[in-house]
Amino acid sequence: MRRTVFNEDHEAFRETLRAFIEAEVVPVYDEWFAAGQAPRDFYYKLGELGVFGISVPEEFGGAGLETHKFEAVLYEETSRAGVNFGGSGVHVLLALPYIKMLATDEQKKRYLPKFVTGEEMWAIAMTEPGTGSDLAGMKTTSKLSEDGTHYVLNGAKTFITGGVHADKVIVCARTAAPTAEDRRHGISLFAVDTKSEGYSVGRKLDKLGLRTSDTAELAFVDVKVPVEDLLGEENKGFYYLGHNLASERWGIAFGAYAQAKAAVRFAKQYVQERTVFGKPVAHFQNTKFELAACQAEVDAAEAVADRALEALDAGELTPAEAASAKLFCTEVAHRVIDRCLQLHGGYGYMNEYPIARLYADNRVNRIYGGTSEIMKTIIAKDMGL
């Protein structure tokens, strides 16, 4: 099937990105994997490449392109190579939309130039120990000081991707108690400097997958946050979080599709090279049928992911559509990657093979950004059920 989502500019970016990955990432990726994170200076290289500034307005050093299609190319190329760019995905996919949507002109002048270069890496801290997907149940607080010059932040967050290397973190905290009518009331967003006194990074979490993406626990003890670093209005944070969930879930959906596509590529290459009983594994009918079935599923996921991408760029992707795309693409990726690993036999269980790392990396797609069960709830509600 001929795709129509990408043009010559996107394909030129693809070529540049593919060459960059082969030169700067693939040769050292095993070292990153062993260390459990990408090195901090790698993000400066991404800044130089222009990855961070694609949709940042030109006046702040970006390219000013209002599209997610270059991000889509990045998902495809990193998956194709069996690598990822550490915690940098959160920097662009999650943090940037909040800055663009909520920051004042003065804040953008302070934040965005360093964002583009990688001088300041951003993360976002929503999840807390014990709350999981129930964001309305968060207990982290931010109280306005008596003189009105700053907020005092106290609490803890967990599962914060990019949390080890982050220079700025968008922290969700309660500035008012929930009401009887609305548990979601009273949440606000703050751009917190990680060098602030009382801010600390706890454990770098030991994850099943995404080993090169630094994920941490964060703690705040009487952290002073200047009032100038409140993002948007007080107590409207839950609304802001909901506003950006569609783009986040599209990103997970597209990334999952790209992983499934890469899995078929890895499996096809392996079965053509591996010989058993005197014949290539690709010679056997079961191998052909398994890969054919996987390819058909990838084709369907690609169509869903592309459709969601076009809707997102047009500003028309609804929460239910984003949930549907995430549910479908992540479930397809789960099935396809598992079957492609099976075709590798025992070698598929070895981390030296990209299919093994891909298997572990993919598992979280059905959890973060809202579990598959939550996606089904959203879809069912949209159906009137």
Side-chain angles (χ1 to χ4, degrees):
M1 292 178 227
R2 189 173 68 86
R3 301 177 77 185
T4 59
V5 292
F6 300 125
N7 61 28
E8 293 179 358
D9 291 338
H10 304 125
E11 295 306 330
F13 177 66
R14 186 189 302 279
E15 291 181 14
T16 300
L17 190 60
R18 188 173 295 183
F20 174 83
I21 291 171
E22 289 298 321
E24 300 288 346
V25 182
V26 172
V28 295
Y29 196 70
D30 285 346
E31 297 174 20
W32 296 7
F33 189 84
Q37 62 187 26
R40 178 63 178 83
D41 61 4
F42 173 67
Y43 298 139
Y44 292 109
K45 294 180 181 180
L46 290 179
E48 292 173 4
L49 189 65
V51 169
F52 296 151
I54 290 170
S55 64
V56 172
E58 292 182 62
E59 62 188 294
F60 303 116
L65 302 176
E66 289 296 332
T67 177
H68 289 79
K69 292 184 178 180
F70 292 96
E71 291 172 35
V73 171
L74 190 148
Y75 283 126
E76 290 186 335
E77 290 305 307
T78 51
S79 294
R80 179 185 182 277
V83 303
N84 69 62
F85 285 172
S88 64
V90 168
H91 184 67
V92 175
L93 182 64
L94 298 190
L96 183 56
Y98 291 102
I99 300 172
K100 291 173 64 177
M101 177 176 71
L102 302 176
T104 64
D105 289 341
E106 185 275 332
Q107 288 174 323
K108 289 177 181 177
K109 289 176 183 177
R110 284 194 287 124
Y111 301 154
L112 288 176
K114 293 180 180 179
F115 180 101
V116 170
T117 62
E119 184 177 348
E120 287 187 349
M121 294 299 295
W122 288 65
I124 184 165
M126 292 185 270
T127 305
E128 295 183 2
T131 62
S133 298
D134 182 19
L135 295 179
M138 71 175 62
K139 306 236 183 316
T140 297
T141 61
S142 191
K143 306 288 188 182
L144 186 64
S145 63
E146 291 185 4
D147 62 7
T149 61
H150 62 274
Y151 291 85
V152 180
L153 181 66
N154 283 282
K157 300 289 182 178
T158 192
F159 305 145
I160 309 307
T161 302
V164 175
H165 284 317
D167 302 287
K168 298 276 192 182
V169 177
I170 298 174
V171 178
C172 311
R174 282 208 164 275
T175 44
T179 65
E181 297 77 21
D182 188 2
R183 295 177 64 240
R184 300 170 296 182
H185 171 77
I187 295 172
S188 301
L189 308 185
F190 299 89
V192 179
D193 191 323
T194 62
K195 296 186 293 295
S196 301
E197 184 177 353
Y199 180 103
S200 63
V201 178
R203 291 187 303 148
K204 181 168 76 68
L205 300 175
D206 185 16
K207 307 188 300 296
L208 170 68
L210 297 177
R211 303 286 298 184
T212 63
S213 177
D214 56 300
T215 303
E217 296 174 331
L218 306 180
F220 322 105
V221 179
D222 293 335
V223 176
K224 293 182 179 180
V225 183
V227 292
E228 294 82 10
D229 286 323
L230 170 70
L231 286 173
E233 297 181 38
E234 267 195 7
N235 304 326
K236 291 190 176 181
F238 200 96
Y239 163 77
Y240 299 143
L241 294 174
H243 186 273
N244 284 328
L245 276 176
S247 63
E248 178 184 351
R249 288 167 178 164
W250 163 80
I252 297 170
F254 204 96
Y257 138 70
Q259 289 176 327
K261 183 177 181 179
V264 172
R265 176 174 177 265
F266 296 145
K268 179 182 175 183
Q269 181 179 4
Y270 179 82
V271 299
Q272 288 175 329
E273 296 173 354
R274 173 72 169 162
T275 300
V276 295
F277 306 117
K279 297 178 181 179
V281 176
H283 174 80
F284 298 97
Q285 186 181 65
N286 179 68
T287 303
K288 296 176 182 179
F289 280 8
E290 282 293 286
L291 281 177
C294 287
Q295 183 61 52
E297 289 218 75
V298 169
D299 286 344
E302 180 180 85
V304 170
D306 284 356
R307 186 182 69 176
L309 172 56
E310 293 284 24
L312 181 64
D313 268 12
E316 299 172 354
L317 185 64
T318 68
E321 289 169 344
S324 178
K326 180 182 185 296
L327 177 65
F328 182 78
C329 291
T330 57
E331 293 292 339
V332 164
H334 162 65
R335 293 192 297 270
V336 167
I337 294 170
D338 183 74
R339 293 164 84 173
C340 288
L341 186 149
Q342 187 74 14
L343 289 172
H344 282 71
Y347 289 105
Y349 205 64
M350 301 296 109
N351 273 327
E352 64 187 274
Y353 283 80
I355 191 67
R357 299 180 183 183
L358 193 59
Y359 183 87
D361 289 351
N362 168 75
R363 185 58 184 88
V364 76
N365 288 332
R366 291 182 289 149
I367 299 174
Y368 67 3
T371 63
S372 291
E373 291 72 26
I374 288 178
M375 297 304 100
K376 292 174 184 177
T377 301
I378 294 169
I379 297 165
K381 183 177 180 181
D382 187 67
M383 295 170 65
L385 299 174

